[in-house]
Every structure is written in structure tokens, then in C-alpha cells.
């Protein structure tokens, strides 16, 4: 992340919005051109990790008065001090932007997804947009790292409060927080962690939501519980410290074994895996959580309401149990509507990322009466075109799909595709102005490991693209303007994309038209958001449009997705049913780089990523499309929003901005609560 950025008034930016993007077109292979200047960004105040929070004890603890009155005094809940763990996680008020908060009010989110249910460890999603960040608690936490000083950068503790490496570096012993409880009062302990590991991650019938696979923590890694609060990983590698990042959202976030085990097929012969996955639907009553808020109500296509978790194990340093906000709502709408509502004030939060809203959102936010603050971050959003490289039966391809995968594996074919893409036009079709930059692929600009000189760009040229297609052995044998397979049929590539957000369809339509001009037939393969993820994970695609990749921002988060480090770590190149994978020569170099990266020094990591970026972009591993900045929009009544929070860094802003410490001053609180003075399940 850039260390030195200046906030400039949003209005100044508007002046340049109407001008066409100043992106140069070139005719010979080169490094990627400079992105257009874009300065309207918030400034980050960098801190050390323990300035944010640390485990400890305090003399006394407090909670909202209504909780004491309605629940503790009536015997429905033990006193707050007894509900907290031995050592709660203490948030430091000195580094909170506005200091100690007060209780009350609601965060009204709007989301475009729909919850499948609460069983994320068996593969269900919760609709995104922060539902999951508010509910999942994971062994470590990385969202707030965007504001941690570079020399102190390391994953923060969370459910794992501390850890140490064995002398030989093969073992990592982690100490779980002691005496913390699920929201129904049942103890959280190593049983919950082992239930996730043994009966989900290592169970081949299950693919947890969040992308964890048996290889995520290293091929051959094992985990055991030493006692109720101690777990120990054993790795084949020496000190693979990068795995600590993978233990954050969303790859190591357990669920309550006491409620779920009785439904799991291993312990319940009457249940199928499908039944288990669906055993905790979104209207399930009182599903226990470790998060700041837990589900209280759900109305399909309308709303999800979460209420404060009375057993939440985090406090501020004055002893106030967090969160400060009593309720969180997720109105079920569309992603573009999230921005429209946040800007209008009927919603409280948006990650501005749907480019069709940029100009209007900027204009409205610049008005003094605007209900919400809008702050841009660096260019950390991007879209890529991914090629399916599976050649050993991943996703059970038919003959045509198999032929397309072999084409994907041909460098000349990929060069044809990338050269045939007019990225300036693609960017313009999303939004005009200084936002869009040409993105050849790999790391995003404005990020720590990015290196412009090693970012190879194949400039747009229809003629050159046609020449590459010919070099790939593809000819138009029937004179219809489209290249053919050897058997005479037109080559036909299906492009998987989400129809849930306008941006993806805009890009898909653009790509299809551009490919037709070079003589390659590509057909649209639209599916809804959940469907795209499922089909991509299952290998059921030729090409896929992928929105944002956390690993391209930070490298440290989701490192394993940057190359096929095992049979299942790459998003677009996984093994077939027999567990084998045919890694291409250049790909092997990426594998070697990423394997070394995990235990390399800071200096060496920089060098490694220069090579990575060069090999990635030279070989068009994925064809990047466009890069652009996002903005965080939050209603002005909220305090403690960390300055300069990017909408995406190690995590999305819903994690980075630490919602559990946000509050609304008493005099600005509104009457938005749907379930005042209630607690889920009590
Ligand atoms: C979706 C949204 C993002 C963010 C995440 C949070 O992906 O598009 O802006 O809200 O959910 O998980």
C-alpha cells in the first residue's frame, strides 16, 4: 500500500471525470503503461499490531444497561464478567479514531447476495456483503493489517490467542482463547476446531465455503488437539509462516460442533451430505456463533437481522463488551442498489465497486448535505480472464472442453487472446474518467510487491492477434471468418461470468465482441453469483471472468492460490480425479517461487515477486482486463471508521474497518432497530 497519499476534495476529481481516459495504445510488446493519475484517497495512520488490540484482563466489565436489566437481573443470562473468557480480546481506545464508544443503533447494510444458510464449513454462503465477516470468527485475523506498519506485519491473533514454532520449524502449537463461549453459552474449544478440520476440510465429500482445500495449509499437513485449548499443526516444510494468513477469514473459521455434529453423516447414518449441508438454513432458530452479532430473523428476499452476541469475547479497554452497535441489518437487494441506498442515506454502507455508479456517487458525496462519507482507496480492484488448464479430467470435461483446455495451455493461443483485447475500450465501457488502468494480469498496481518494469503487456492489435492464432495452429478452414478445430467445426469457447453485477456482463459482452474480430468464437455462459463460484471450484468452465483476487493485492493473503502448490490450491488449475496435475514448465517456475516465498526473508520476497510478475505476464497466465480503485461509503453518523480503510486489502472493508468498534454518538442515534432490547434465542 502506498504510505504517502493525499486526500483531495472529491469535487476536484469530478472535473476530470468527463474527460476520456488517457490510456496510450502501443503496437509492440512492452511493459505496461503508467496508469492514469488518481489521487483522491484517504490517508492511513499506521500503527503496531498491539496498538489495535491484545488479550488481557480488566478490573470490571460493562454491557448495555438493557442487557443487565432484561436478561441478567431476570436470571436469563449470567453476569457479563462470567460470560467473558479468562482473558478477553481488548480493543485499545487510544487508537480508535474517535475513542470509546456508546451502545445502541444499527448498521443497515444492503447486499446483492442471498443466504443459502449458515453452514459455511459445509459449503453454504451467507450472501456476502459483510454477513459472513460479522459471523465468522477465525483462528487469526488479517483485515486490520492494512494499517499495520510494514516492519511489524504479521497476522493478528483471534480465536488463536498465541502460537509458537517448534525448534525444527515443522510444528506450530496454537493456544486457543480459554473460556470463550458460543452465543448459546456452550464452551468454544479444540473440539470445534477439530470438527472443522477432520470432518470438513479433510472430508472429500465437503468443500467448505471460503475456498480452503486439504492443501491450503500445505500438502500433507496434519492437525491434532493436545488438550481443550491447545492444537498442534505438523508441516512437511520448515516454518511455513504464510499459513498464518490462511488461518484468517475465510479458511479456518470453525462452527459449533455441539449443534452440528449430530447432523453430520459421519455421526448420523440417516443424513446425506446434502442434508447436512442444508441442515441449518437461514431461518434456523438460534444458530450459535462466535461473531459480534448472531442471526435473529430472516425474511427471504427482504432482510437478515443479526443482534448482539451476549457472549462476545471482545471488549474495549474501559471494559465495555463489544460490539457497540446492538443490531446489524442486511437488506436483500442488488449490489448496485447498495451504493444507491448508501449515497441516499437509506443504507449505511457500500463498497463502491460497480463502476456504473461512480460518477453519480461522487457527485452526490461532494454535496455538503450528503448523508454519507465517500473515500477512495488505491487501485486494488481488478478483473481477469482465467483459462482452465486442467488436462487430467478436472471437472469431467467432454471432448470439446478438453480440446479447449489444450488450446488454453498453448502460449500462442493465450497471446492471441490477450493481444485481441482492447483494454482501453473495456475500461471505457465500465466508466469514463481517470479510474481505469490497463491490467495485463498478476499483481495489482499500488500494492507492495507490484513492479511495473516486470509487468509485460501485449498491446492491442487485431492483426497481431490473428497471427498468434495461426501460430497456435488455428485456421479458418471454412472461410466464415472464425477459426476451426481440426475436424472442421468452429472453435467455440464458453465464457463463464456472473449475471449478478452489471460489470461482469459488460466485460463479458466486450470480450466476446473483441474475440469475434480476431476470428475466435466465444459464447456467453452466464450464471448467478453463487453458481459461478460453484462451477469455477468444480472446474466446469473453459474461460471465466474473475473479479478481484486478494492474493494480487497482498500476496501474503491467499498465497497458495498464486500457483498450483498442490493438487487443489490453484483456482483454475486443479488435479483430475486421480489426483494428478500436469504443471506447465513456466507454471513450475511460479510454483517454485511461491514455495520459496512462504519462508523467505522480506528482501528475498521482493525479488521473488519481481520474477513472479514477469513470468506471469509474459506467459499470460491469466489475461488481466482492467484495474481500478474502489471507495468506501459509510453514513456520517458512524464513528471509529479507521482513516483510509481500503475496500479490499487483506480482507474486504467489512473486516478491515472493525465494525465491532464502530458506534453512533447518543445524540445522533436513530430509531432503526427492528428488535430493540432483544437477544437472539433468549
Ligand atoms: C461481496 C461484495 C464486496 C464485499 C464482500 C464482503 O463480494 O461485492 O464488496 O462486500 O461481499 O464479503
Amino acid at each position: 500500500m502506498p504510505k504517502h497519499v493525499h486526500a483531495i476534495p472529491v469535487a476536484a476529481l469530478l472535473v476530470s471525470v468527463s474527460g476520456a481516459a488517457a490510456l496510450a495504445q502501443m503496437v509492440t510488446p512492452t511493459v505496461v503503461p503508467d496508469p492514469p493519475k488518481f489521487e483522491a484517497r484517504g490517508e492511513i495512520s499506521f500503527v503496531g499490531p498491539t496498538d489495535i488490540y491484545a488479550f488481557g484482563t480488566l478490573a470490571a466489565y460493562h454491557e448495555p444497561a438493557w442487557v443487565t436489566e432484561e436478561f441478567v437481573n431476570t436470571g436469563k443470562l449470567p453476569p457479563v464478567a462470567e460470560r467473558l473468557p479468562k482473558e478477553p480480546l481488548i480493543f485499545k481506545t487510544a487508537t480508535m479514531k474517535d475513542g470509546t464508544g456508546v451502545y445502541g443503533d444499527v448498521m443497515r447494510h444492503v447486499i446483492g447476495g442471498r443466504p443459502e444458510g449458515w453452514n459455511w464449513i459445509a459449503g453454504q454462503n451467507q450472501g456476502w456483503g459483510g454477513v459472513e465477516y460479522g459471523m465468522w470468527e477465525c483462528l487469526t485475523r488479517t483485515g486490520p493489517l492494512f494499517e499495520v506498519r510494514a516492519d511489524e506485519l504479521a497476522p493478528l491473533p483471534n480465536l488463536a490467542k498465541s502460537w509458537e514454532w517448534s525448534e525444527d520449524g515443522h510444528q506450530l502449537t496454537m493456544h486457543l482463547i480459554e473460556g470463550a463461549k458460543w452465543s448459546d453459552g456452550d464452551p468454544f474449544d479444540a473440539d470445534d476446531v477439530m470438527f472443522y478440520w477432520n470432518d470438513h476440510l479433510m472430508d472429500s465429500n465437503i468443500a467448505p465455503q471460503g475456498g480452503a482445500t486439504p492443501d491450503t495449509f500445505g500438502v500433507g499437513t496434519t492437525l491434532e488437539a493436545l488438550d481443550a485449548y491447545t492444537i498442534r499443526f505438523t508441516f512437511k516444510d520448515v516454518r511455513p509462516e504464510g499459513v498464518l494468513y490462511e488461518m484468517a477469514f475465510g479458511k479456518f473459521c470453525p462452527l459449533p460442533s455441539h449443534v452440528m455434529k449430530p447432523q453430520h453423516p459421519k455421526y448420523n447414518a440417516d443424513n446425506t451430505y446434502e442434508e447436512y449441508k442444508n441442515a441449518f438454513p437461514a431461518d434456523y432458530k438460534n444458530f450459535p456463533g462466535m461473531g459480534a452479532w448472531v442471526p435473529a430473523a430472516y425474511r427471504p428476499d427482504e432482510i437478515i437481522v443479526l443482534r448482539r452476541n451476549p457472549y462476545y469475547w471482545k471488549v474495549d479497554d474501559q471494559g465495555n463488551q463489544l460490539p457497540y452497535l446492538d443490531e446489524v441489518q442486511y437488506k436483500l437487494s442488488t449490489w448496485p442498489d447498495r451504493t444507491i441506498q448508501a449515497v441516499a442515506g437509506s443504507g449505511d454502507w457500500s463498497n463502491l465497486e460497480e463502476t456504473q455508479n461512480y460518477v453519480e456517487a461522487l457527485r452526490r458525496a461532494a454535496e455538503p448535505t450528503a448523508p454519507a462519507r465517500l473515500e477512495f482507496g488505491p487501485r486494488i480492484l481488478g478483473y481477469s480472464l482465467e483459462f482452465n488448464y486442467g488436462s487430467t479430467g478436472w471437472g469431467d470435461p467432454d471432448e470439446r472442453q478438453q480440446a479447449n483446455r489444450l488450446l488454453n495451455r498453448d502460449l500462442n493461443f493465450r497471446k492471441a487472446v490477450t493481444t485481441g483485447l482492447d483494454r482501453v475500450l473495456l475500461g471505457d465501457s465500465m466508466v469514463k474518467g481517470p479510474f481505469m488502468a490497463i491490467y495485463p494480469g498478476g499483481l495489482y498496481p499500488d500494492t507492495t510487491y507490484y513492479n511495473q518494469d516486470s509487468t509485460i503487456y501485449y498491446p492491442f492489435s487485431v492483426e497481431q492477434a490473428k497471427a498468434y492464432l495461426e501460430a497456435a495452429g488455428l485456421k479458418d478452414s471454412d472461410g466464415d471468418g472464425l477459426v476451426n478445430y481440426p475436424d472442421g467445426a468452429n472453435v467455440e469457447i464458453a465464457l463463464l461470468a456472473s449475471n449478478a453485477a452489471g460489470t461482469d456482463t459488460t466485460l463479458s459482452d466486450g470480450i466476446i465482441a473483441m474475440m469475434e474480430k480476431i476470428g475466435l468464437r466465444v459464447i456467453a455462459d452466464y450464471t448467478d453469483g453463487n453458481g459461478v463460484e460453484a462451477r469455477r471450484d468444480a472446474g466446469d468452465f473453459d474461460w471465466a471472468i474473475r473479479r478481484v483476487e486478494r492474493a494480487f493485492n497482498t500476496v501474503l493473503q491467499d498465497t497458495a492460490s498464486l500457483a498450483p502448490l498442490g493438487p487443489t490450491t490453484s483456482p483454475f488449475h486443479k488435479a483430475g480425479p486421480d489426483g494428478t496435475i500436469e504443471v506447465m514448465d513456466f507454471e513450475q517456475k511460479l510454483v517454485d517461487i511461491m514455495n520459496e516465498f512462504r519462508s523467505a526473508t522480506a528482501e528475498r520476497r521482493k525479488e521473488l515477486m519481481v520474477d513472479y510478475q514477469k513470468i506471469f505476464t509474459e506467459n499470460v497466465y491469466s489475461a488481466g482486463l482492467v484495474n481500478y480503485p474502489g471507495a468506501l461509503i459509510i453514513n456520517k453518523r458512524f464513528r471509529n471508521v479507521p482513516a483510509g480503510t481500503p475496500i479490499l486489502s487483506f480482507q474486504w472493508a467489512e473486516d478491515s474497518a472493525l465494525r465491532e468498534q464502530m458506534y453512533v454518538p447518543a445524540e445522533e442515534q436513530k430509531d432503526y432497530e427492528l428488535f430493540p432490547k432483544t437477544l437472539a434465542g433468549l
Side-chain angles (χ1 to χ4, degrees):
M1 288 299 135
K3 299 228 166 51
H4 218 78
V5 286
H6 301 284
I8 66 160
V10 155
L13 186 71
L14 284 173
V15 176
S16 52
V17 160
S18 55
L23 298 177
Q25 285 191 35
M26 313 210 176
V27 287
T28 50
T30 174
V31 300
V32 65
D34 284 334
K37 286 230 171 335
F38 186 79
E39 301 274 1
R41 300 179 189 164
E43 199 160 346
I44 299 171
S45 323
F46 287 90
V47 295
T50 51
D51 297 332
I52 303 174
Y53 62 60
F55 286 93
T57 52
L58 296 167
Y61 298 103
H62 318 286
E63 63 185 349
W66 63 267
V67 177
T68 318
E69 280 154 27
E70 314 267 332
F71 294 91
V72 179
N73 293 348
T74 56
K76 290 183 192 148
L77 274 181
V80 63
E82 291 170 31
R83 303 199 306 270
L84 290 167
K86 225 162 94 180
E87 289 184 310
L89 192 53
I90 302 172
F91 280 56
K92 308 284 174 70
T93 51
T95 38
M96 293 180 186
K97 187 148 168 275
D98 304 291
T100 313
V102 296
Y103 290 118
D105 214 322
V106 179
M107 176 74 76
R108 298 165 306 158
H109 288 269
V110 175
I111 65 172
R114 295 293 181 272
E116 294 175 325
W118 308 131
N119 195 353
W120 62 80
I121 59 177
Q124 287 189 314
N125 89 56
Q126 286 69 59
W128 306 111
V131 188
E132 67 302 327
Y133 278 119
M135 291 180 69
W136 306 25
E137 293 281 348
C138 316
L139 289 182
T140 62
R141 187 169 188 180
T142 55
L145 294 185
F146 79 90
E147 59 172 354
V148 168
R149 284 188 286 267
D151 57 343
E152 291 179 79
L153 197 64
L156 303 174
N158 200 50
L159 292 174
K161 69 172 190 179
S162 62
W163 49 82
E164 67 266 343
W165 292 90
S166 63
E167 220 154 278
D168 69 2
H170 285 293
Q171 292 190 315
L172 174 70
T173 303
M174 297 188 110
H175 306 281
L176 303 175
I177 174 169
E178 264 182 61
K181 299 185 178 70
W182 294 94
S183 56
D184 63 355
D186 195 86
F188 162 79
D189 57 27
D191 281 351
D192 301 306
V193 173
M194 295 313 295
F195 178 58
Y196 169 66
W197 180 271
N198 288 329
D199 301 328
H200 297 81
L201 199 57
M202 294 297 150
D203 185 330
S204 57
N205 300 294
I206 288 180
Q209 185 67 224
T213 76
D215 302 328
T216 298
F217 304 95
V219 176
T221 299
T222 59
L223 180 66
E224 63 199 311
L226 301 185
D227 61 44
Y229 297 112
T230 318
I231 56 171
R232 187 169 69 193
F233 288 91
T234 302
F235 303 102
K236 295 255 186 281
D237 290 348
V238 175
R239 268 187 103 102
E241 297 197 22
V243 298
L244 291 164
Y245 287 89
E246 310 286 9
M247 291 175 194
F249 183 92
K251 298 199 169 80
F252 211 124
C253 319
L255 276 175
S257 57
H258 67 287
V259 173
M260 300 176 70
K261 228 177 191 171
Q263 300 293 332
H264 190 291
K266 190 165 146 195
Y267 309 93
N268 180 340
D270 293 339
N271 266 0
T272 63
Y273 276 94
E274 198 53 27
E275 281 166 341
Y276 170 60
K277 180 176 173 181
N278 296 318
F280 307 97
D283 56 3
Y284 183 90
K285 291 277 171 264
N286 311 326
F287 189 71
M290 292 297 287
W293 301 275
V294 291
Y298 165 66
R299 290 197 289 274
D301 282 331
E302 233 180 89
I303 200 165
I304 305 171
V305 184
L306 283 81
R307 294 284 301 168
R308 61 180 306 114
N309 169 359
Y311 286 90
Y312 200 48
W313 40 286
K314 304 182 187 179
V315 300
D316 69 20
D317 57 12
Q318 309 303 301
N320 301 305
Q321 186 184 34
L322 297 174
Y324 293 129
L325 299 172
D326 286 333
E327 187 172 299
V328 184
Q329 302 169 358
Y330 298 91
K331 293 189 250 182
L332 306 176
S333 179
T334 64
W335 294 116
D337 188 44
R338 171 170 71 167
T339 294
I340 291 166
Q341 293 213 34
V343 167
S346 57
D348 292 325
W349 181 301
S350 185
N351 300 340
L352 179 61
E353 58 191 359
E354 270 85 27
T355 48
Q356 68 265 36
N357 290 332
Y358 274 39
V359 175
E360 188 47 37
L362 274 164
R363 207 182 305 281
R364 179 71 179 103
E367 293 167 9
T369 56
R373 244 179 254 117
L374 181 153
E375 194 175 77
F376 267 95
R379 269 197 189 84
I380 40 66
L381 295 174
Y383 272 93
S384 298
L385 176 61
E386 289 181 344
F387 304 106
N388 186 334
Y389 292 123
S391 60
T392 59
W394 175 40
D396 195 18
D398 63 25
E399 218 175 296
R400 280 286 183 248
Q401 286 172 316
Q402 182 67 11
N404 290 344
R405 292 183 190 190
L406 296 182
L407 284 177
N408 287 343
R409 290 171 71 97
D410 183 326
L411 177 58
N412 279 315
F413 180 72
R414 298 195 301 277
K415 281 186 184 168
V417 175
T418 200
T419 307
L421 291 171
D422 181 349
R423 291 170 169 90
V424 177
L425 198 59
L426 283 178
D428 273 357
S429 71
M430 289 169 75
V431 62
K432 294 205 195 316
F435 306 101
M436 292 292 159
I438 287 176
Y439 172 44
L443 305 177
Y444 293 160
D446 289 345
T447 63
T448 310
Y449 290 103
Y450 178 75
N451 178 291
Q452 188 178 6
D453 293 337
S454 66
T455 303
I456 305 302
Y457 169 53
Y458 294 88
F460 169 58
S461 157
V462 172
E463 283 320 304
Q464 184 59 51
K466 286 182 169 165
Y468 282 132
L469 273 188
E470 207 175 320
L474 292 174
K475 289 196 180 58
D476 172 15
S477 54
D478 54 6
D480 69 350
L482 297 166
V483 295
N484 302 84
Y485 295 111
D487 71 5
N490 279 331
V491 169
E492 193 173 278
I493 308 274
L495 173 56
L496 178 65
S498 162
N499 59 12
T503 342
D504 301 48
T505 45
T506 302
L507 284 172
S508 176
D509 293 347
I511 292 168
I512 289 170
M514 288 169 193
M515 291 298 105
E516 180 155 347
K517 292 213 173 98
I518 69 166
L520 185 63
R521 164 168 288 167
V522 178
I523 53 167
D525 184 2
Y526 288 128
T527 314
D528 66 39
N530 296 343
V532 166
E533 261 172 65
R535 287 193 41 204
R536 223 166 29 196
D537 289 348
D540 181 16
F541 66 97
D542 293 334
W543 293 358
I545 291 191
R546 181 183 294 260
R547 185 188 66 132
V548 297
E549 190 61 80
R550 288 184 306 182
F552 290 151
N553 266 318
T554 68
V555 182
L556 299 164
Q557 190 73 50
D558 291 344
T559 309
S561 69
L562 291 177
L565 301 186
T568 59
T569 73
S570 160
F572 45 80
H573 193 186
K574 292 191 174 52
D578 66 355
T580 63
I581 182 168
E582 287 173 342
V583 174
M584 296 171 282
D585 289 347
F586 80 89
E587 217 181 5
Q588 184 58 47
K589 290 188 197 151
L590 300 180
V591 170
D592 295 342
I593 287 172
M594 294 323 302
N595 276 332
E596 187 183 340
F597 183 91
R598 274 194 157 165
S599 28
T601 61
E603 207 48 37
R604 179 74 187 131
R605 284 180 168 184
K606 287 223 169 91
E607 292 167 14
L608 286 168
M609 291 320 287
V610 168
D611 291 349
Y612 178 94
Q613 179 70 353
K614 181 133 192 291
I615 296 168
F616 187 116
T617 49
E618 232 167 31
N619 288 285
V620 200
Y621 194 28
S622 290
L625 300 169
V626 288
N627 264 137
Y628 58 103
L632 184 58
I633 307 179
I634 299 187
N635 192 283
K636 287 177 181 165
R637 73 183 194 286
F638 290 92
R639 302 296 193 276
N640 280 348
V641 182
T645 308
I647 73 163
L648 182 73
S649 175
F650 292 86
Q651 302 290 347
W652 288 97
E654 289 91 337
D655 185 41
S656 317
L658 296 165
R659 281 178 298 171
E660 61 267 51
Q661 69 171 39
M662 283 185 199
Y663 73 97
V664 180
E667 63 283 7
E668 291 180 47
Q669 292 195 0
K670 303 277 191 198
D671 208 7
Y672 296 140
E673 264 177 295
L674 288 175
F675 298 94
K677 300 196 175 177
T678 65
L679 292 170
L682 287 171

